[in-house]
Amino acid sequence: MKKMIGVLIAFVFVVTGCGTTGSTSEGADTSEVSAIINEHLGISPYIPETDYELGTVLLEYFPEGVRDEEPHKATISYFESLDELETLDEEMRKEFEENDPLNRKFLYGDMYLEGRIIFIEIYPEGINMQDGEVIDILGHDVQYVYYEKGDGRDFDFVIMTINFDDVGYSIEYLNRGQSDNIQEEAKALAEDIIENNS
């Protein structure tokens, strides 16, 4: 029963927590987060500072039997306001880490059940998505797709992938009512990442 509760918690976190937010203005240290990721993935990615609060950093491992269960990406979640969000308590977090079907490890911040605005996956190798178009941002190719609310989607959101020689970024930028122009905000985030990876 306890194991089932843990899996349920993990499922709730996956379903409602998807999306990243990011604001280091409320105390998150982006250079510290980059250093933590470097310890595990051997890369020092640029971690953007945004108008949102950086709340959670997780490390995701390859499934059992694949590449000796090495970590293959880090995920970062940003939120509009951490003060108003419910967090997992220590017991729930332990259950999540022990029973998470995606084989993730908590690295930084806290774990929140919902409310992500920006979700960034960081890979030591490039990443591509199948849908979307390639657009030019600051002379760099960015895979880009915009989804409008509807057809089962609760929010407008943008998905982008940006690749550099030593790091790849996959970004989900959700509009939970905080933005009048989600596409421009997402492109501004891409510009910031490109400028700091050149």
Side-chain angles (χ1 to χ4, degrees):
M1 180 66 167
K2 192 172 182 184
K3 192 170 197 175
M4 187 60 131
I5 291 171
V7 171
L8 180 60
I9 289 168
F11 179 75
V12 168
F13 182 79
V14 169
V15 170
T16 62
C18 284
T20 338
T21 62
S23 170
T24 56
S25 60
E26 297 298 322
D29 183 343
T30 55
S31 60
E32 180 183 353
V33 171
S34 183
I36 291 169
I37 292 172
N38 186 24
E39 287 177 25
H40 296 279
L41 293 178
I43 55 173
S44 297
Y46 170 70
I47 308 300
E49 296 185 21
T50 78
D51 293 334
Y52 305 106
E53 297 183 41
L54 194 156
T56 308
V57 180
L58 298 172
L59 188 68
E60 189 168 323
Y61 288 78
F62 284 107
E64 187 175 334
V66 178
R67 294 198 190 183
D68 298 322
E69 298 178 47
E70 294 177 359
H72 75 102
K73 69 179 176 182
T75 64
I76 304 172
S77 296
Y78 297 82
F79 302 81
E80 190 165 19
S81 175
L82 299 179
D83 293 338
E84 301 171 6
L85 298 176
E86 181 182 355
T87 62
L88 298 182
D89 62 30
E90 284 300 315
E91 185 176 343
M92 291 169 73
R93 195 166 89 182
K94 184 178 178 183
E95 286 289 326
F96 168 80
E97 290 186 317
E98 290 177 355
N99 300 297
D100 177 24
L102 296 180
N103 199 14
R104 292 173 294 185
K105 176 182 175 184
F106 174 78
L107 292 182
Y108 182 91
D110 216 329
M111 299 186 79
Y112 303 90
L113 293 177
E114 58 185 5
R116 282 194 304 196
I117 302 294
I118 304 168
F119 179 67
I120 301 177
E121 297 175 316
I122 296 175
Y123 297 83
E125 302 170 2
I127 181 70
N128 292 301
M129 61 181 175
Q130 294 180 349
D131 297 327
E133 61 180 317
V134 176
I135 64 172
D136 181 280
I137 297 180
L138 300 180
H140 197 93
D141 286 346
V142 174
Q143 287 182 285
Y144 180 93
V145 62
Y146 169 62
Y147 294 101
E148 291 188 78
K149 180 178 178 179
D151 294 330
R153 292 183 289 271
D154 294 331
F155 315 101
D156 296 343
F157 64 98
V158 171
I159 297 178
M160 300 179 289
T161 58
I162 310 171
N163 290 307
F164 303 94
D165 290 340
D166 61 344
V167 62
Y169 293 79
S170 175
I171 302 159
E172 292 181 20
Y173 203 120
L174 285 78
N175 187 3
R176 294 181 181 270
Q178 83 283 356
S179 174
D180 291 330
N181 196 331
I182 189 72
Q183 295 195 74
E184 289 308 310
E185 284 191 17
K187 289 175 183 177
L189 177 63
E191 287 181 5
D192 181 41
I193 291 171
I194 291 166
E195 286 176 342
N196 285 280
N197 275 282
S198 299

